[in-house]
Amino acid sequence: MRQDLSGHGASRGSALGRARIRLPHALDVAEERIDPGQVDAELARMHGAIDIVRAEMHRLRERLQGALASEIGEFLDLHALLLDDPELLQGLDGLIRTGPYTADYALRVQRDRIAGVFRDMDDPYLRSRIDDIDQVIGRLHAALHRREAEVQGIAGEIFVADNVAPADLAQLQAQGVLAVVTTAGSALSHSAILARSLHLPLVVGAAQALTKINDGDVLVVDGGSGLVVRDPGPDDLRAHRARVREGKRERRELIRLRREPTRTRDGVDIKLWANAESREDVAEAHALGAAGVGLYRTEFLFLGSRTLPDEDSQFRAYRDLVLGMTGRTVTIRTLDVGADKADNTGLALADEPNPALGVRGVRLSLRRTAVFETQLRAIVRASGYGPVRVLLPMIASREEVLAVRALLERVVGEVRAAGHATAEQLPLGAMIEVPAAALALPGFVDAVDFLSIGTNDLVQYLLAADRNNEALGTLYTPLHPAVLRLLHEVLTTAERCGKPVAVCGEMAADPACVPLLLALGLGEFSLHPATLLEVRQAIRACDLDALRARAALLLRARDRAGIEAWLDAAQADMRQPPSPLARG
Ligand code: PEP
Ligand code: MG
């Protein structure tokens, strides 16, 4: 029977296909014995995995707030209880000792024993708890092999899960999955950013998806509005077709803008940089006429692997990025792991009580100077192949900028002494994403060569609203008077001091925010190539003079409704025919 399940649209696009629920972690492990002398080591391996999963669940539980805490928290609590269950643990130990079996096989035997007990229960609710056992056992199995629980998608299907990690998304797309629906997550998460860059429709926060959708159900997913329809009717199918048609029409219109300048109606050129991570992003950025790469998040080199990338492999990645942009400037941001960007290398501190406020970004780099210097050397070597800027994440104070500058100068000297070619200048910039940095900017703007405003984090830290917590709903928004005032202050300081400044958070990729950012004085946007043409289109529809004249009104808005009313008025203005004096 037809059913609507709404979530939040996180990556646009309409998809029609059959559902694939994230499968319970089936364990296909053959019987395998070990030498009696290996028993202690195998027990230690098993208990190490249990500790990892316990910490993982604890972290997940901590992150849940508000309504979600009671809904999803129940499951997590149940899983945590299962992990502490003496029956499970003693059974595992016993199998490893007496088999003596491998930890993997012990897991499989225990899983089958417990599932057997549940299967015989009369109560269908209790019977269905086998899923929970499978999830816990699956997590343990993944932890034994120090990997994330794997995802499996099938071409032409729509993947439905509680959440997906960025690495999973990339894999799902490669497998030909049409769209992803998750019960948790937020449109500002790294998975969402990646989904947009992959053009993979994504709906997050569809809280009922896992309880209402079964494997094989037909779904229509609208990644724009966040609507998921199970067993769609004729109207839904028509609406889906219309969205697909409209999407194609919009793309055709946008394609025409590939070779057009990014110029306002009154003839002012605006710089569009690309946020790029992959070779495809770089090629697309180049083809769409991006001014250069405004944000290259180097953590993606670190997140996918269990070992730290060495200097040469980093150098090759940075050099190829530089070569791909054929002389246009490339902005390489130094490592920003920590918080929601958990790495597998053991670099980020585990179990921080509040990781978003913990040792992430430049804080981690300044503690792990050997790792940081390796990265800086690789970046400096890449600068021999084309213009490179170095960007520092999570800067909160002048001291941090000065410490990095001193380190960078030393590294440049060493790299040159070793006979490598380097650029004459390596501009050093700071991300403005910690409110303290925005407020203290007049005191350290002289220490940087350029700035990039990370609105994703700036909004989170300014509004005390977790960017990944869907339960906060509209509390996390850049459309808040405090955000606009801070942006305006940063832009004004940068302009006064002659320092280039871009916005590289998701706000810059939202065409609806273009008039607002232009009014506040922004002249450089950095965004994923996926929406570059849409933002160019929005900029070309704006009259900068008229918007700047309305900036004071915008800054007087007292709430979100006031800001939206201002935006509506600006949109109405954009629909007016261009002035005959416009040059673009
Ligand atoms: C930001 O915070 O806006 C930003 C661009 O950095 P990231 O999303 O990588 O934290
Ligand atoms: Mg950030």
Side-chain angles (χ1 to χ4, degrees), residues 500-522:
V501 55
V503 167
C504 66
E506 287 305 290
M507 189 181 186
D510 184 350
C513 288
V514 160
L516 178 157
L517 290 170
L518 290 177
L520 293 178
L522 187 68

Side-chain angles (χ1 to χ4, degrees), residues 293-331:
V293 169
L295 175 64
Y296 178 79
R297 292 177 165 98
T298 57
E299 50 272 20
F300 286 106
L301 293 175
F302 289 68
L303 297 183
S305 136
R306 260 172 268 144
T307 49
L308 291 172
D310 62 15
E311 182 183 323
D312 275 343
S313 62
Q314 288 191 60
F315 159 67
R316 282 194 297 274
Y318 306 150
R319 180 204 57 196
D320 291 351
L321 169 71
V322 171
L323 291 176
M325 289 309 286
T326 62
R328 298 180 212 174
T329 299
V330 160
T331 311

Side-chain angles (χ1 to χ4, degrees), residues 2 73 132 152 185 281 460 474:
R2 183 188 182 283
D132 297 299
Q152 237 352 290
D281 292 349
Q460 130 161 303
T474 53

